[in-house]
Amino acid sequence: MQFFTEHFNTHHLLHHPHKWFLALLVSPIHFAEIHYEKKYHLNFVHAKKLFVFDITLLLLAITLFISTIFWFTYDPTITKLVYLNIKTTNSRVASGNYVEYTINYKNENPLPLISPILAINLPNGFILDQAIPADKFQNNFFTLDNIMPKTTGSVTIKGWIYAIPEQDNHITATLAFKQSGKEKYEEKSTLLIKTLRGSVLNTKIESQKIILPNDNIPIKIIIKNTGEKTLNNITIPLPNSSEIKFVSKDLGQTNITINELKPNEEQVFFLNLITNISDNNKKNIDLNLTPQLEINRTKINQTTLTYRLDIARPKTNSTAVWQNNIEKAKPNETVQLKINLKNTGNINLINPKIELPITGSIVNVEQLKNLNNGTYKNQIFTIPLDNLEINSTKELIINIPINNFPQGGNDLLFSLSPRLNSSLNNITNNYSEIIESPAIKIGTNLLLNPEIRYFTNEGDQLGRGPLPPQVNKETKYWAVINLTNGTSKLSNVNLSVQLPNYIVWTGKTSVTNGSDIRYNAKNNTASWVSNSLSAHENAGIYFELALTPTTEMRGSSPILVQNIAINGLDSYINETVSQKYGSLDITIPDDKIGQTKGIKVE
């Protein structure tokens, strides 16, 4: 190459390096040219023959290519000039609607279509009402007359269509025919894709929109036929899982069945929905009901109804403790129960209340009602509260008065189980939670029943001397002191009585247990001691006293016994139990027979 020979030298390397570098790049071409000139120059004596041979091969390849294209594209049929389409008069169709399909055909060929047969492939849920022309239709086939060149025609199918809504439904028409003088049928097909929008079978659910994770709510399902044709054999499978279950006394738990549903008729079913949702993160749950119609011996799903239920999770962080953390209580003592509530759920608590089950065996109910703001009914003490909103707190103090003489067994343990009960917005069932308090010990008490007697209730005479008492004449009475222990063992029980100085100790005594009565003449007192009294044990202390009235006592009822006192140690709560009684005189209120004889000195 001339460019290479001119520029690939030292001069251009020093003064024009860019041209020298370009010459270096084209150097392979230059050396290839030199090699060709040396080896092949003046050796092409057969070039003309080779040229003719190459042209012949090229023409043969072109001929084969054109023949192949013709072979694969040649169509001996006449279907290209046969036109077929399907049209419907309804733009929007629901499952169960009455529809009309018209199949139009046209022959643009110069040849007639011989023995044409038009086949219609309809959905399984299509119920035929009318085919036009009816005399040419049988088993989804129209047997047509020969279709002449340049002519058109149509057939019509009418009926009710039932299919799965919101899915494509294919309706195909196929025209089969023969050419004149040929026995083989040719076919022309067309396709109509139709999507049904909704269904004439309307399903509706009426229920609360918010449920609890573990709930049992009433639910109403309404099925209505909005179409113009009676529907038969309707089935609605009911959801049944580990989380939701429908129950009904009439339907069982499987499905709803309707044998017949006339146009514009509806049927209502009342059920209960039982929920058992353990997933704490789940915020809602969907009820999916899919009615099924049996058409042409085929079950066809209709529009699925999805009914969403939101899940409310009412929850409280609640405690019930005894004020000052007491562990025991004595009879006649008032203790305080402190209840703390915090709404940790996702829904407000409406009109909450504390329901406190209480009987009168340990608690003084009348005092309970007076000490607290609440109502008592059917052994439940109810305290109303203000609404408890989400994340809000509430503290409540309840005064609990203990009975004077608690009952209910031995060594009583007392605890309370207040129940928080609250309504919830838009939810049928209430929220409830039981709060357990610690148990405390309840101590025992003594019932002290002292009396003076001259006669027994049966009429036996105990006393001696005139009755009513007479001045300067001795009359003898018996002092009767009955003790009843409560629910716990008492130890070191001591009884003491004081006698007026005009009363004479006769020395006649009787006790049912413990030591004998001791009389101290120096201070005119009597005492009785027992090492213990078991729970619910009774004791009787009886002694005789003599009264000789003086003139100053005439017309009065002198005192026989005074300053009655008893005490003991409650070994259950380690507390002292004591009772006192004032005085007893000769009015003997418990001795009805003696009272009739006289109660004043004469």
Side-chain angles (χ1 to χ4, degrees):
M1 295 178 63
Q2 185 177 357
F3 181 82
F4 176 81
T5 56
E6 289 181 359
H7 297 91
F8 194 75
N9 50 49
T10 304
H11 174 77
H12 282 83
L13 175 63
L14 298 176
H15 297 90
H16 303 286
H18 60 285
K19 292 184 179 181
W20 181 89
F21 182 72
L22 183 60
L24 178 64
L25 293 178
V26 300
S27 60
I29 301 175
H30 172 75
F31 289 111
E33 182 179 309
I34 294 174
H35 175 75
Y36 175 79
E37 288 179 355
K38 289 181 179 180
K39 191 169 185 178
Y40 297 105
H41 190 57
L42 300 178
N43 288 331
F44 295 100
V45 294
H46 301 293
K48 188 174 182 179
K49 294 180 180 180
L50 290 173
F51 175 77
V52 173
F53 180 73
D54 290 341
I55 292 300
T56 303
L57 289 177
L58 177 62
L59 292 176
L60 179 61
I62 293 173
T63 302
L64 289 174
F65 178 73
I66 294 174
S67 299
T68 301
I69 292 176
F70 178 78
W71 177 264
F72 283 104
T73 58
Y74 174 70
D75 184 7
T77 67
I78 59 174
T79 56
K80 288 184 178 180
L81 295 178
V82 176
Y83 299 96
L84 191 65
N85 63 64
I86 305 174
K87 291 186 177 180
T88 178
T89 57
N90 308 79
S91 59
R92 183 180 178 88
V93 179
S95 177
N97 280 162
Y98 191 83
V99 293
E100 178 180 330
Y101 296 112
T102 299
I103 299 95
N104 300 301
Y105 53 87
K106 182 178 182 181
N107 180 15
E108 288 288 349
N109 288 288
L111 302 174
L113 307 182
I114 308 301
S115 302
I117 299 174
L118 183 59
I120 311 296
N121 186 14
L122 297 167
N124 291 334
F126 188 85
I127 298 177
L128 180 66
D129 178 51
Q130 186 179 9
I132 303 173
D135 58 332
K136 297 184 179 297
F137 182 79
Q138 187 177 9
N139 297 328
N140 288 355
F141 289 92
F142 284 95
T143 303
L144 305 176
D145 297 332
N146 293 343
I147 303 174
M148 295 296 106
K150 308 297 182 179
T151 60
T152 62
S154 66
V155 297
T156 301
I157 292 288
K158 298 180 181 181
W160 292 270
I161 184 169
Y162 297 91
I164 300 176
E166 313 307 328
Q167 290 189 11
D168 291 343
N169 293 277
H170 293 183
I171 301 169
T172 59
T174 302
L175 180 63
F177 56 87
K178 295 188 291 186
Q179 294 186 39
S180 180
K182 294 184 179 181
E183 294 299 324
K184 185 178 180 180
Y185 272 92
E186 301 176 19
E187 292 183 353
K188 180 75 172 188
S189 297
T190 188
L191 171 67
L192 174 66
I193 300 176
K194 194 68 177 178
T195 301
L196 303 184
R197 304 299 181 184
S199 171
V200 298
L201 186 61
N202 187 279
T203 307
K204 183 180 179 182
I205 289 179
E206 291 184 2
S207 170
Q208 63 189 53
K209 296 289 290 184
I210 304 175
I211 60 171
L212 302 176
N214 298 95
D215 214 341
N216 186 338
I217 63 170
I219 194 166
K220 182 165 68 172
I221 299 177
I222 304 170
I223 313 297
K224 184 176 182 180
N225 179 7
T226 62
E228 300 175 352
K229 183 177 177 61
T230 298
L231 301 177
N232 301 100
N233 301 325
I234 302 170
T235 303
I236 303 178
L238 297 175
N240 190 350
S241 67
S242 60
E243 292 187 328
I244 58 173
K245 179 172 64 176
F246 282 94
V247 294
S248 170
K249 293 185 296 184
D250 302 325
L251 301 176
Q253 301 178 5
T254 305
N255 52 46
I256 294 173
T257 57
I258 303 174
N259 294 327
E260 181 182 79
L261 196 63
K262 296 179 180 179
N264 292 318
E265 181 186 0
E266 70 177 23
Q267 290 194 19
V268 180
F269 299 88
F270 297 92
L271 303 94
N272 278 70
L273 177 66
I274 298 176
T275 61
N276 182 22
I277 302 169
S278 57
D279 185 356
N280 293 328
N281 296 320
K282 183 170 287 189
K283 296 181 179 179
N284 49 60
I285 193 166
D286 290 335
L287 301 180
N288 296 312
L289 298 182
T290 304
Q292 295 177 342
L293 294 175
E294 186 173 335
I295 306 295
N296 298 329
R297 298 182 180 181
T298 301
K299 287 188 177 295
I300 301 174
N301 291 341
Q302 297 302 286
T303 302
T304 296
L305 171 65
T306 298
Y307 191 81
R308 173 157 291 184
L309 296 171
D310 293 325
I311 301 173
R313 299 185 184 277
K315 186 179 180 182
T316 58
N317 185 5
S318 306
T319 59
V321 297
W322 297 105
Q323 195 79 296
N324 301 322
N325 295 318
I326 62 170
E327 297 180 352
K328 59 186 177 181
K330 298 170 63 176
N332 285 323
E333 184 180 359
T334 296
V335 294
Q336 291 184 322
L337 182 69
K338 181 171 70 173
I339 298 177
N340 287 305
L341 306 172
K342 182 176 181 180
N343 185 353
T344 57
N346 63 354
I347 188 171
N348 295 335
L349 303 184
I350 307 301
N351 299 324
K353 55 188 176 183
I354 293 293
E355 297 175 343
L356 198 60
I358 286 183
T359 63
S361 59
I362 295 178
V363 177
N364 188 321
V365 174
E366 290 303 318
Q367 289 187 27
L368 176 74
K369 293 189 289 186
N370 294 331
L371 294 174
N372 301 280
N373 178 27
T375 57
Y376 186 79
K377 184 178 181 181
N378 298 328
Q379 298 185 338
I380 301 292
F381 188 66
T382 303
I383 302 174
L385 303 174
D386 295 332
N387 292 348
L388 197 62
E389 297 182 351
I390 298 172
N391 293 324
S392 63
T393 60
K394 174 71 176 178
E395 181 179 280
L396 176 67
I397 302 294
I398 305 176
N399 295 303
I400 309 295
I402 306 300
N403 268 331
N404 175 60
F405 196 75
Q407 300 179 22
N410 297 348
D411 294 341
L412 298 181
L413 277 175
F414 176 60
S415 64
L416 291 174
S417 302
R419 178 191 296 272
L420 173 64
N421 201 330
S422 175
S423 300
L424 303 169
N425 276 335
N426 302 316
I427 297 180
T428 302
N429 293 331
N430 287 351
Y431 168 72
S432 65
E433 179 189 8
I434 296 178
I435 313 164
E436 296 289 349
S437 78
I440 58 174
K441 297 178 179 180
I442 301 297
T444 188
N445 205 356
L446 276 168
L447 286 182
L448 178 61
N449 184 24
E451 56 182 329
I452 299 295
R453 282 196 171 269
Y454 193 90
F455 292 95
T456 66
N457 289 333
E458 291 76 18
D460 296 330
Q461 184 175 333
L462 299 175
R464 293 292 183 267
L467 193 65
Q470 297 177 6
V471 174
N472 297 324
K473 292 184 179 181
E474 184 181 69
T475 300
K476 295 179 180 179
Y477 294 88
W478 275 85
V480 177
I481 301 176
N482 291 312
L483 302 177
T484 301
N485 186 20
T487 56
S488 303
K489 179 182 177 181
L490 282 174
S491 59
N492 300 324
V493 183
N494 293 277
L495 172 71
S496 65
V497 297
Q498 178 71 51
L499 304 180
N501 54 12
Y502 51 82
I503 297 298
V504 176
W505 179 265
T506 67
K508 291 183 178 181
T509 63
S510 177
V511 295
T512 59
N513 55 11
S515 63
D516 199 4
I517 301 173
R518 294 181 180 181
Y519 174 68
N520 188 337
K522 291 182 179 181
N523 52 19
N524 208 23
T525 60
S527 62
W528 169 82
V529 176
S530 177
N531 290 332
S532 66
L533 277 180
S534 299
H536 309 293
E537 186 177 4
N538 297 317
I541 301 96
Y542 317 113
F543 50 90
E544 187 183 56
L545 301 172
L547 169 66
T548 302
T550 63
T551 304
E552 292 79 9
M553 295 179 182
R554 192 186 303 273
S556 67
S557 300
I559 294 174
L560 300 180
V561 179
Q562 59 189 10
N563 299 332
I564 304 171
I566 188 169
N567 62 74
L569 180 65
D570 185 343
S571 57
Y572 181 49
I573 65 171
N574 198 31
E575 293 282 349
T576 299
V577 177
S578 62
Q579 292 287 349
K580 291 184 178 181
Y581 197 91
S583 60
L584 299 172
D585 57 28
I586 65 170
T587 56
I588 52 176
D590 297 307
D591 186 349
K592 302 303 180 183
I593 299 175
Q595 277 190 325
T596 61
K597 301 292 184 180
I599 59 174
K600 293 184 182 295
V601 176
E602 293 183 350

